[in-house]
């Protein structure tokens, strides 16, 4: 359960695109004109390279127009890159997007909405950008499964299953039950009920966040090019941990969760609910520190896991599996520990402390306590695109609940620590 990483640059990009530069407007053609234009050869075909200066527009296949809006060079001191804004217009939609082109040719795409056409910047010389645009890739056929729990499948190739609420993507060598889609969508429903949040909230600076390169990072390639690459439907990536030199663990990120195959054997429901709690929080609020984000994910994960029977369960999915905190935690030390950043090898302490803190918060101040806190934190940072630091989160907890919040929590822990043993 890695610390989640959110690309706040997505939101900044939206601001830059709106306030930065204006391109030429594309005139709306009449139906008659459109029929005539369909018979006119485009300036360039898909996969054909073309170069544009700022403000220039060309026509592509399928009646698409493509315009270079702006180019800005950013020198970050280590690896400078060109920030390129373009506009791709089809007969139905307009996509104004940006990408960063690095010296090694790598493109990092930032979009306000998912563009199924693949745009690559090849090079920039004197603000003249060379592009290549590819057509929407043909959608691969989805894997068919029975929906029956008693049936078992093992993938030999990359596969995917499409549901109403999510998409499931499978690495090679993943074994799962035939009812996996129904089970995961039921878990998502329970996460929404327990948190009071939606996986698909109204558009905000939080709900538009997403990560690029998830598939490449876990699979070494994109096995499903053009298939919901922006995870409009929340994604579950099943990963065979054998593909990595170093140990990897499941994680919850914006719009997706990644599950290592091990978690299909141990605490499956808990692992799915835990990681989806991260994802739903990212879509609805600020990036919290590890203690709060992991503590809340542990708390919700366990509540959801308790509602499902017949699936693998260990103490990890129970309150008793948290373990006793290996430092003195009381009314005098609780606030100082909250502000402490643990090294990677000790980050299990963030999970432990966070579970105690969130449990105390909700048991003391009610089921809506966490939402109230996060709402207040969101309001504090409404016009700020930087994640709040430990100090702001600490002060918001005190303002939301009590000036003595941490002292009272430490006292509570001393009376309740026996609930959190390893047994």
């Amino acid at each position: 359960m890695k610390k989640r990483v959110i690309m706040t640059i997505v939101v900044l990009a939206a601001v830059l695109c709106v306030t930065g530069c204006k391109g030429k407007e594309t005139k709306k053609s009449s139906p008659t004109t459109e029929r005539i234009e369909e018979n006119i050869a485009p300036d360039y075909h898909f996969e054909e390279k073309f170069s544009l200066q700022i403000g220039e527009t060309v026509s592509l296949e399928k009646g698409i127009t493509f315009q270079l809006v702006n180019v800005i060079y950013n020198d970050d001191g280590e690896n400078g890159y060109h920030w390129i804004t373009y506009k791709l217009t089809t007969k139905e939609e307009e996509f104004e997007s940006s990408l960063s082109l690095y010296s090694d040719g790598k493109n990092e795409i930032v979009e306000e909405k998912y563009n199924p056409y693949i745009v690559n910047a090849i090079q920039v010389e004197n603000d003249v950008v060379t592009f290549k645009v590819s057509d929407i890739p043909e959608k691969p056929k989805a894997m068919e499964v029975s929906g029956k729990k008693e049936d078992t499948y093992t993938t030999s190739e990359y596969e995917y299953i499409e549901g109403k609420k999510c998409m499931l993507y499978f690495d090679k060598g993943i074994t799962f039950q035939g009812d996996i889609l129904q089970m995961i969508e039921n878990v998502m429903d329970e996460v929404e009920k327990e948190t009071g949040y939606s996986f698909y909230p109204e558009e905000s600076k939080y709900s538009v966040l997403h990560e690029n390169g998830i598939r490449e990072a876990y699979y070494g390639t994109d096995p499903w090019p053009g298939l919901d690459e922006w995870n409009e439907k929340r994604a579950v990536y099943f990963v065979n941990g054998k593909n990595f030199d170093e140990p990897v663990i499941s994680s919850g990120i914006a719009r997706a969760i990644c599950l290592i195959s091990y978690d299909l054997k141990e605490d499956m429901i808990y692992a799915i609910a835990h990681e989806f709690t991260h994802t739903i929080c990212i879509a609805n609020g600020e990036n919290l520190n590890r203690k709060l984000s992991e503590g809340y994910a542990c708390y919700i994960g366990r509540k959801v896991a308790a509602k499902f029977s017949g699936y693998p369960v260990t103490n990890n999915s129970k309150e008793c599996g948290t373990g006793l905190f290996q430092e003195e935690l009381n009314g005098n030390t609780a606030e100082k520990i909250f502000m402490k950043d643990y090294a990677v090898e000790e980050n299990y302490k963030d999970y432990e402390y966070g579970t105690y803190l969130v449990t105390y918060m909700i048991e003391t101040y009610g089921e809506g306590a966490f939402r109230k806190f996060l709402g207040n934190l969101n309001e504090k940072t409404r016009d700020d695109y930087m994640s709040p630091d430990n100090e702001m989160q600490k002060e918001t907890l005190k303002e939301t609940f009590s000036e003595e919040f941490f002292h009272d929590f430490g006292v509570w822990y001393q009376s309740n620590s026996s609930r959190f043993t390893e047994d």
Side-chain angles (χ1 to χ4, degrees), residues 346-384:
E346 287 191 298
N347 65 22
Y348 63 89
K349 293 181 180 179
D350 288 323
Y351 287 76
E352 294 173 350
Y353 179 102
T355 300
Y356 314 150
L357 182 77
V358 171
T359 302
Y360 163 75
M361 178 197 304
I362 294 175
E363 289 185 359
T364 305
Y365 295 98
E367 289 297 323
F370 185 87
R371 293 194 301 276
K372 184 176 181 181
F373 155 69
L374 188 56
N376 289 342
L377 189 64
N378 292 348
E379 186 61 26
K380 276 177 172 283
T381 58
R382 183 174 53 181
D383 300 319
D384 188 358

mmCIF file of all heavy atoms in Angstrom, residues 346-384:
data_model
loop_
_atom_site.group_PDB
_atom_site.id
_atom_site.type_symbol
_atom_site.label_atom_id
_atom_site.label_comp_id
_atom_site.label_asym_id
_atom_site.label_seq_id
_atom_site.Cartn_x
_atom_site.Cartn_y
_atom_site.Cartn_z
ATOM 1 N N GLU A 346 10.281 2.146 8.733
ATOM 2 C CA GLU A 346 9.419 2.236 9.907
ATOM 3 C C GLU A 346 8.018 2.734 9.572
ATOM 4 O O GLU A 346 7.254 3.063 10.481
ATOM 5 C CB GLU A 346 10.033 3.175 10.948
ATOM 6 C CG GLU A 346 11.232 2.641 11.680
ATOM 7 C CD GLU A 346 11.607 3.517 12.859
ATOM 8 O OE1 GLU A 346 11.935 4.697 12.647
ATOM 9 O OE2 GLU A 346 11.557 3.019 14.006
ATOM 10 N N ASN A 347 7.669 2.772 8.295
ATOM 11 C CA ASN A 347 6.387 3.389 7.959
ATOM 12 C C ASN A 347 5.175 2.577 8.422
ATOM 13 O O ASN A 347 4.057 3.060 8.384
ATOM 14 C CB ASN A 347 6.279 3.715 6.465
ATOM 15 C CG ASN A 347 6.282 2.488 5.571
ATOM 16 O OD1 ASN A 347 5.972 1.380 5.996
ATOM 17 N ND2 ASN A 347 6.638 2.695 4.309
ATOM 18 N N TYR A 348 5.400 1.337 8.872
ATOM 19 C CA TYR A 348 4.293 0.577 9.474
ATOM 20 C C TYR A 348 3.731 1.315 10.686
ATOM 21 O O TYR A 348 2.557 1.149 11.055
ATOM 22 C CB TYR A 348 4.771 -0.821 9.885
ATOM 23 C CG TYR A 348 5.838 -0.841 10.953
ATOM 24 C CD1 TYR A 348 5.502 -0.881 12.305
ATOM 25 C CD2 TYR A 348 7.185 -0.816 10.610
ATOM 26 C CE1 TYR A 348 6.481 -0.887 13.281
ATOM 27 C CE2 TYR A 348 8.170 -0.823 11.575
ATOM 28 C CZ TYR A 348 7.816 -0.852 12.918
ATOM 29 O OH TYR A 348 8.786 -0.849 13.888
ATOM 30 N N LYS A 349 4.568 2.154 11.324
ATOM 31 C CA LYS A 349 4.096 2.919 12.481
ATOM 32 C C LYS A 349 3.031 3.942 12.067
ATOM 33 O O LYS A 349 2.138 4.272 12.856
ATOM 34 C CB LYS A 349 5.266 3.619 13.173
ATOM 35 C CG LYS A 349 6.239 2.662 13.840
ATOM 36 C CD LYS A 349 7.358 3.412 14.534
ATOM 37 C CE LYS A 349 8.329 2.436 15.209
ATOM 38 N NZ LYS A 349 9.446 3.146 15.869
ATOM 39 N N ASP A 350 3.136 4.443 10.826
ATOM 40 C CA ASP A 350 2.103 5.353 10.336
ATOM 41 C C ASP A 350 0.762 4.630 10.223
ATOM 42 O O ASP A 350 -0.290 5.186 10.545
ATOM 43 C CB ASP A 350 2.494 5.919 8.973
ATOM 44 C CG ASP A 350 3.623 6.932 9.050
ATOM 45 O OD1 ASP A 350 3.647 7.710 10.018
ATOM 46 O OD2 ASP A 350 4.479 6.944 8.146
ATOM 47 N N TYR A 351 0.790 3.374 9.758
ATOM 48 C CA TYR A 351 -0.431 2.574 9.658
ATOM 49 C C TYR A 351 -1.031 2.357 11.052
ATOM 50 O O TYR A 351 -2.248 2.482 11.245
ATOM 51 C CB TYR A 351 -0.123 1.218 9.021
ATOM 52 C CG TYR A 351 0.164 1.259 7.540
ATOM 53 C CD1 TYR A 351 1.385 1.720 7.058
ATOM 54 C CD2 TYR A 351 -0.774 0.816 6.619
ATOM 55 C CE1 TYR A 351 1.666 1.738 5.702
ATOM 56 C CE2 TYR A 351 -0.515 0.818 5.257
ATOM 57 C CZ TYR A 351 0.720 1.284 4.809
ATOM 58 O OH TYR A 351 0.979 1.308 3.451
ATOM 59 N N GLU A 352 -0.170 2.002 12.005
ATOM 60 C CA GLU A 352 -0.653 1.724 13.357
ATOM 61 C C GLU A 352 -1.238 2.974 14.002
ATOM 62 O O GLU A 352 -2.400 2.979 14.419
ATOM 63 C CB GLU A 352 0.506 1.182 14.202
ATOM 64 C CG GLU A 352 1.008 -0.182 13.743
ATOM 65 C CD GLU A 352 2.259 -0.635 14.475
ATOM 66 O OE1 GLU A 352 2.858 0.179 15.215
ATOM 67 O OE2 GLU A 352 2.643 -1.805 14.303
ATOM 68 N N TYR A 353 -0.431 4.015 14.062
ATOM 69 C CA TYR A 353 -0.894 5.256 14.692
ATOM 70 C C TYR A 353 -2.147 5.765 13.984
ATOM 71 O O TYR A 353 -3.117 6.182 14.633
ATOM 72 C CB TYR A 353 0.226 6.304 14.620
ATOM 73 C CG TYR A 353 -0.136 7.653 15.207
ATOM 74 C CD1 TYR A 353 0.316 8.013 16.474
ATOM 75 C CD2 TYR A 353 -0.891 8.576 14.490
ATOM 76 C CE1 TYR A 353 0.006 9.268 17.019
ATOM 77 C CE2 TYR A 353 -1.205 9.819 15.018
ATOM 78 C CZ TYR A 353 -0.761 10.162 16.279
ATOM 79 O OH TYR A 353 -1.079 11.396 16.799
ATOM 80 N N GLY A 354 -2.146 5.740 12.655
ATOM 81 C CA GLY A 354 -3.290 6.246 11.894
ATOM 82 C C GLY A 354 -4.561 5.473 12.172
ATOM 83 O O GLY A 354 -5.648 6.057 12.264
ATOM 84 N N THR A 355 -4.454 4.146 12.316
ATOM 85 C CA THR A 355 -5.629 3.334 12.630
ATOM 86 C C THR A 355 -6.190 3.706 13.993
ATOM 87 O O THR A 355 -7.409 3.858 14.160
ATOM 88 C CB THR A 355 -5.273 1.837 12.599
ATOM 89 O OG1 THR A 355 -4.806 1.494 11.292
ATOM 90 C CG2 THR A 355 -6.484 0.982 12.935
ATOM 91 N N TYR A 356 -5.315 3.867 14.979
ATOM 92 C CA TYR A 356 -5.789 4.268 16.306
ATOM 93 C C TYR A 356 -6.478 5.634 16.243
ATOM 94 O O TYR A 356 -7.559 5.835 16.806
ATOM 95 C CB TYR A 356 -4.631 4.374 17.305
ATOM 96 C CG TYR A 356 -3.651 3.239 17.318
ATOM 97 C CD1 TYR A 356 -2.319 3.472 17.657
ATOM 98 C CD2 TYR A 356 -4.016 1.928 17.000
ATOM 99 C CE1 TYR A 356 -1.393 2.450 17.688
ATOM 100 C CE2 TYR A 356 -3.096 0.896 17.020
ATOM 101 C CZ TYR A 356 -1.782 1.167 17.364
ATOM 102 O OH TYR A 356 -0.864 0.151 17.382
ATOM 103 N N LEU A 357 -5.830 6.584 15.552
ATOM 104 C CA LEU A 357 -6.343 7.956 15.507
ATOM 105 C C LEU A 357 -7.713 8.017 14.839
ATOM 106 O O LEU A 357 -8.640 8.659 15.347
ATOM 107 C CB LEU A 357 -5.358 8.855 14.756
ATOM 108 C CG LEU A 357 -5.745 10.338 14.685
ATOM 109 C CD1 LEU A 357 -5.461 11.006 16.022
ATOM 110 C CD2 LEU A 357 -4.997 11.058 13.584
ATOM 111 N N VAL A 358 -7.855 7.370 13.679
ATOM 112 C CA VAL A 358 -9.128 7.412 12.955
ATOM 113 C C VAL A 358 -10.211 6.673 13.739
ATOM 114 O O VAL A 358 -11.364 7.119 13.781
ATOM 115 C CB VAL A 358 -8.965 6.829 11.540
ATOM 116 C CG1 VAL A 358 -10.313 6.666 10.862
ATOM 117 C CG2 VAL A 358 -8.059 7.740 10.701
ATOM 118 N N THR A 359 -9.849 5.559 14.362
ATOM 119 C CA THR A 359 -10.823 4.830 15.186
ATOM 120 C C THR A 359 -11.325 5.723 16.316
ATOM 121 O O THR A 359 -12.537 5.814 16.573
ATOM 122 C CB THR A 359 -10.195 3.553 15.761
ATOM 123 O OG1 THR A 359 -9.718 2.732 14.691
ATOM 124 C CG2 THR A 359 -11.211 2.769 16.576
ATOM 125 N N TYR A 360 -10.416 6.403 16.998
ATOM 126 C CA TYR A 360 -10.798 7.333 18.071
ATOM 127 C C TYR A 360 -11.677 8.451 17.522
ATOM 128 O O TYR A 360 -12.717 8.783 18.109
ATOM 129 C CB TYR A 360 -9.542 7.921 18.722
ATOM 130 C CG TYR A 360 -9.823 9.156 19.532
ATOM 131 C CD1 TYR A 360 -10.432 9.059 20.784
ATOM 132 C CD2 TYR A 360 -9.515 10.427 19.034
ATOM 133 C CE1 TYR A 360 -10.723 10.206 21.525
ATOM 134 C CE2 TYR A 360 -9.789 11.566 19.763
ATOM 135 C CZ TYR A 360 -10.404 11.460 21.007
ATOM 136 O OH TYR A 360 -10.698 12.592 21.729
ATOM 137 N N MET A 361 -11.288 9.025 16.405
ATOM 138 C CA MET A 361 -12.027 10.141 15.823
ATOM 139 C C MET A 361 -13.485 9.768 15.558
ATOM 140 O O MET A 361 -14.411 10.489 15.944
ATOM 141 C CB MET A 361 -11.362 10.571 14.506
ATOM 142 C CG MET A 361 -12.065 11.707 13.776
ATOM 143 S SD MET A 361 -11.552 11.837 12.028
ATOM 144 C CE MET A 361 -9.778 12.001 12.165
ATOM 145 N N ILE A 362 -13.692 8.631 14.898
ATOM 146 C CA ILE A 362 -15.042 8.255 14.488
ATOM 147 C C ILE A 362 -15.859 7.754 15.676
ATOM 148 O O ILE A 362 -17.057 8.061 15.790
ATOM 149 C CB ILE A 362 -14.971 7.207 13.361
ATOM 150 C CG1 ILE A 362 -14.345 7.845 12.111
ATOM 151 C CG2 ILE A 362 -16.348 6.635 13.049
ATOM 152 C CD1 ILE A 362 -14.102 6.894 10.964
ATOM 153 N N GLU A 363 -15.233 6.992 16.582
ATOM 154 C CA GLU A 363 -15.968 6.519 17.747
ATOM 155 C C GLU A 363 -16.353 7.661 18.685
ATOM 156 O O GLU A 363 -17.372 7.599 19.369
ATOM 157 C CB GLU A 363 -15.145 5.480 18.502
ATOM 158 C CG GLU A 363 -15.023 4.149 17.762
ATOM 159 C CD GLU A 363 -14.315 3.090 18.579
ATOM 160 O OE1 GLU A 363 -13.894 3.387 19.724
ATOM 161 O OE2 GLU A 363 -14.179 1.949 18.080
ATOM 162 N N THR A 364 -15.551 8.711 18.713
ATOM 163 C CA THR A 364 -15.804 9.837 19.617
ATOM 164 C C THR A 364 -16.723 10.883 19.003
ATOM 165 O O THR A 364 -17.627 11.406 19.671
ATOM 166 C CB THR A 364 -14.478 10.499 20.030
ATOM 167 O OG1 THR A 364 -13.610 9.510 20.602
ATOM 168 C CG2 THR A 364 -14.716 11.612 21.042
ATOM 169 N N TYR A 365 -16.532 11.173 17.709
ATOM 170 C CA TYR A 365 -17.244 12.295 17.095
ATOM 171 C C TYR A 365 -18.262 11.865 16.041
ATOM 172 O O TYR A 365 -18.891 12.719 15.413
ATOM 173 C CB TYR A 365 -16.236 13.270 16.485
ATOM 174 C CG TYR A 365 -15.361 13.935 17.525
ATOM 175 C CD1 TYR A 365 -14.081 13.450 17.798
ATOM 176 C CD2 TYR A 365 -15.825 15.017 18.258
ATOM 177 C CE1 TYR A 365 -13.278 14.045 18.763
ATOM 178 C CE2 TYR A 365 -15.030 15.628 19.221
ATOM 179 C CZ TYR A 365 -13.761 15.134 19.480
ATOM 180 O OH TYR A 365 -12.979 15.724 20.441
ATOM 181 N N GLY A 366 -18.435 10.573 15.827
ATOM 182 C CA GLY A 366 -19.504 10.108 14.949
ATOM 183 C C GLY A 366 -19.030 9.701 13.570
ATOM 184 O O GLY A 366 -17.904 9.975 13.149
ATOM 185 N N GLU A 367 -19.918 9.006 12.835
ATOM 186 C CA GLU A 367 -19.591 8.440 11.528
ATOM 187 C C GLU A 367 -19.184 9.502 10.507
ATOM 188 O O GLU A 367 -18.444 9.223 9.582
ATOM 189 C CB GLU A 367 -20.777 7.634 10.989
ATOM 190 C CG GLU A 367 -21.015 6.328 11.725
ATOM 191 C CD GLU A 367 -19.854 5.360 11.588
ATOM 192 O OE1 GLU A 367 -19.243 5.313 10.502
ATOM 193 O OE2 GLU A 367 -19.564 4.642 12.558
ATOM 194 N N GLY A 368 -19.691 10.700 10.661
ATOM 195 C CA GLY A 368 -19.351 11.747 9.695
ATOM 196 C C GLY A 368 -18.131 12.556 10.063
ATOM 197 O O GLY A 368 -17.822 13.564 9.403
ATOM 198 N N ALA A 369 -17.396 12.137 11.083
ATOM 199 C CA ALA A 369 -16.279 12.936 11.596
ATOM 200 C C ALA A 369 -15.178 13.128 10.555
ATOM 201 O O ALA A 369 -14.677 14.246 10.371
ATOM 202 C CB ALA A 369 -15.708 12.280 12.851
ATOM 203 N N PHE A 370 -14.795 12.050 9.896
ATOM 204 C CA PHE A 370 -13.710 12.171 8.922
ATOM 205 C C PHE A 370 -14.120 13.083 7.773
ATOM 206 O O PHE A 370 -13.330 13.917 7.320
ATOM 207 C CB PHE A 370 -13.314 10.796 8.391
ATOM 208 C CG PHE A 370 -12.115 10.830 7.480
ATOM 209 C CD1 PHE A 370 -10.829 10.760 7.997
ATOM 210 C CD2 PHE A 370 -12.268 10.949 6.100
ATOM 211 C CE1 PHE A 370 -9.721 10.804 7.159
ATOM 212 C CE2 PHE A 370 -11.173 10.988 5.262
ATOM 213 C CZ PHE A 370 -9.898 10.913 5.794
ATOM 214 N N ARG A 371 -15.342 12.954 7.288
ATOM 215 C CA ARG A 371 -15.808 13.817 6.194
ATOM 216 C C ARG A 371 -15.832 15.271 6.633
ATOM 217 O O ARG A 371 -15.509 16.172 5.841
ATOM 218 C CB ARG A 371 -17.197 13.384 5.726
ATOM 219 C CG ARG A 371 -17.238 12.015 5.058
ATOM 220 C CD ARG A 371 -18.551 11.786 4.326
ATOM 221 N NE ARG A 371 -19.698 11.879 5.219
ATOM 222 C CZ ARG A 371 -20.146 10.881 5.963
ATOM 223 N NH1 ARG A 371 -19.516 9.724 5.967
ATOM 224 N NH2 ARG A 371 -21.203 11.036 6.728
ATOM 225 N N LYS A 372 -16.216 15.525 7.880
ATOM 226 C CA LYS A 372 -16.237 16.898 8.386
ATOM 227 C C LYS A 372 -14.834 17.485 8.408
ATOM 228 O O LYS A 372 -14.605 18.620 7.971
ATOM 229 C CB LYS A 372 -16.838 16.927 9.789
ATOM 230 C CG LYS A 372 -17.001 18.327 10.361
ATOM 231 C CD LYS A 372 -17.684 18.283 11.724
ATOM 232 C CE LYS A 372 -17.866 19.697 12.290
ATOM 233 N NZ LYS A 372 -18.514 19.647 13.634
ATOM 234 N N PHE A 373 -13.884 16.692 8.896
ATOM 235 C CA PHE A 373 -12.487 17.144 8.925
ATOM 236 C C PHE A 373 -11.968 17.423 7.520
ATOM 237 O O PHE A 373 -11.402 18.492 7.259
ATOM 238 C CB PHE A 373 -11.615 16.083 9.600
ATOM 239 C CG PHE A 373 -10.170 16.128 9.196
ATOM 240 C CD1 PHE A 373 -9.346 17.175 9.584
ATOM 241 C CD2 PHE A 373 -9.626 15.132 8.380
ATOM 242 C CE1 PHE A 373 -8.012 17.233 9.184
ATOM 243 C CE2 PHE A 373 -8.311 15.175 7.987
ATOM 244 C CZ PHE A 373 -7.491 16.222 8.388
ATOM 245 N N LEU A 374 -12.159 16.474 6.601
ATOM 246 C CA LEU A 374 -11.632 16.648 5.253
ATOM 247 C C LEU A 374 -12.317 17.822 4.549
ATOM 248 O O LEU A 374 -11.672 18.571 3.804
ATOM 249 C CB LEU A 374 -11.805 15.370 4.437
ATOM 250 C CG LEU A 374 -11.131 15.350 3.065
ATOM 251 C CD1 LEU A 374 -9.644 15.640 3.181
ATOM 252 C CD2 LEU A 374 -11.348 14.007 2.367
ATOM 253 N N GLY A 375 -13.603 18.007 4.796
ATOM 254 C CA GLY A 375 -14.304 19.159 4.214
ATOM 255 C C GLY A 375 -13.718 20.479 4.687
ATOM 256 O O GLY A 375 -13.557 21.425 3.899
ATOM 257 N N ASN A 376 -13.391 20.560 5.969
ATOM 258 C CA ASN A 376 -12.769 21.774 6.501
ATOM 259 C C ASN A 376 -11.386 21.993 5.913
ATOM 260 O O ASN A 376 -10.988 23.130 5.615
ATOM 261 C CB ASN A 376 -12.677 21.693 8.025
ATOM 262 C CG ASN A 376 -14.030 21.811 8.697
ATOM 263 O OD1 ASN A 376 -14.993 22.271 8.085
ATOM 264 N ND2 ASN A 376 -14.120 21.392 9.948
ATOM 265 N N LEU A 377 -10.643 20.911 5.737
ATOM 266 C CA LEU A 377 -9.313 21.025 5.137
ATOM 267 C C LEU A 377 -9.429 21.473 3.678
ATOM 268 O O LEU A 377 -8.657 22.329 3.217
ATOM 269 C CB LEU A 377 -8.586 19.686 5.224
ATOM 270 C CG LEU A 377 -7.108 19.688 4.837
ATOM 271 C CD1 LEU A 377 -6.288 20.551 5.797
ATOM 272 C CD2 LEU A 377 -6.558 18.263 4.815
ATOM 273 N N ASN A 378 -10.384 20.918 2.950
ATOM 274 C CA ASN A 378 -10.604 21.336 1.564
ATOM 275 C C ASN A 378 -10.925 22.822 1.481
ATOM 276 O O ASN A 378 -10.468 23.528 0.575
ATOM 277 C CB ASN A 378 -11.753 20.539 0.937
ATOM 278 C CG ASN A 378 -11.424 19.076 0.725
ATOM 279 O OD1 ASN A 378 -10.274 18.669 0.837
ATOM 280 N ND2 ASN A 378 -12.430 18.284 0.437
ATOM 281 N N GLU A 379 -11.720 23.303 2.417
ATOM 282 C CA GLU A 379 -12.102 24.715 2.410
ATOM 283 C C GLU A 379 -10.883 25.607 2.669
ATOM 284 O O GLU A 379 -10.740 26.664 2.052
ATOM 285 C CB GLU A 379 -13.164 24.968 3.479
ATOM 286 C CG GLU A 379 -13.744 26.375 3.479
ATOM 287 C CD GLU A 379 -14.450 26.749 2.187
ATOM 288 O OE1 GLU A 379 -14.939 25.838 1.490
ATOM 289 O OE2 GLU A 379 -14.505 27.955 1.864
ATOM 290 N N LYS A 380 -10.005 25.170 3.533
ATOM 291 C CA LYS A 380 -8.790 25.949 3.819
ATOM 292 C C LYS A 380 -7.905 26.089 2.583
ATOM 293 O O LYS A 380 -7.202 27.089 2.421
ATOM 294 C CB LYS A 380 -7.975 25.256 4.921
ATOM 295 C CG LYS A 380 -8.390 25.563 6.338
ATOM 296 C CD LYS A 380 -7.522 24.741 7.284
ATOM 297 C CE LYS A 380 -7.735 25.121 8.724
ATOM 298 N NZ LYS A 380 -7.065 26.381 9.087
ATOM 299 N N THR A 381 -7.927 25.080 1.732
ATOM 300 C CA THR A 381 -7.018 25.055 0.575
ATOM 301 C C THR A 381 -7.776 25.241 -0.739
ATOM 302 O O THR A 381 -7.277 24.864 -1.795
ATOM 303 C CB THR A 381 -6.271 23.709 0.540
ATOM 304 O OG1 THR A 381 -7.227 22.639 0.468
ATOM 305 C CG2 THR A 381 -5.421 23.522 1.783
ATOM 306 N N ARG A 382 -8.964 25.814 -0.661
ATOM 307 C CA ARG A 382 -9.829 25.919 -1.843
ATOM 308 C C ARG A 382 -9.137 26.593 -3.014
ATOM 309 O O ARG A 382 -9.310 26.199 -4.163
ATOM 310 C CB ARG A 382 -11.102 26.693 -1.473
ATOM 311 C CG ARG A 382 -12.103 26.811 -2.602
ATOM 312 C CD ARG A 382 -13.381 27.456 -2.121
ATOM 313 N NE ARG A 382 -13.126 28.721 -1.460
ATOM 314 C CZ ARG A 382 -14.081 29.489 -0.933
ATOM 315 N NH1 ARG A 382 -15.331 29.094 -0.959
ATOM 316 N NH2 ARG A 382 -13.778 30.643 -0.357
ATOM 317 N N ASP A 383 -8.354 27.621 -2.758
ATOM 318 C CA ASP A 383 -7.700 28.363 -3.836
ATOM 319 C C ASP A 383 -6.206 28.052 -3.928
ATOM 320 O O ASP A 383 -5.445 28.816 -4.523
ATOM 321 C CB ASP A 383 -7.904 29.868 -3.625
ATOM 322 C CG ASP A 383 -9.374 30.241 -3.608
ATOM 323 O OD1 ASP A 383 -10.131 29.686 -4.435
ATOM 324 O OD2 ASP A 383 -9.767 31.072 -2.767
ATOM 325 N N ASP A 384 -5.804 26.940 -3.346
ATOM 326 C CA ASP A 384 -4.384 26.597 -3.307
ATOM 327 C C ASP A 384 -4.202 25.214 -3.923
ATOM 328 O O ASP A 384 -4.952 24.291 -3.628
ATOM 329 C CB ASP A 384 -3.896 26.579 -1.854
ATOM 330 C CG ASP A 384 -2.390 26.421 -1.743
ATOM 331 O OD1 ASP A 384 -1.734 26.284 -2.789
ATOM 332 O OD2 ASP A 384 -1.879 26.430 -0.608
#
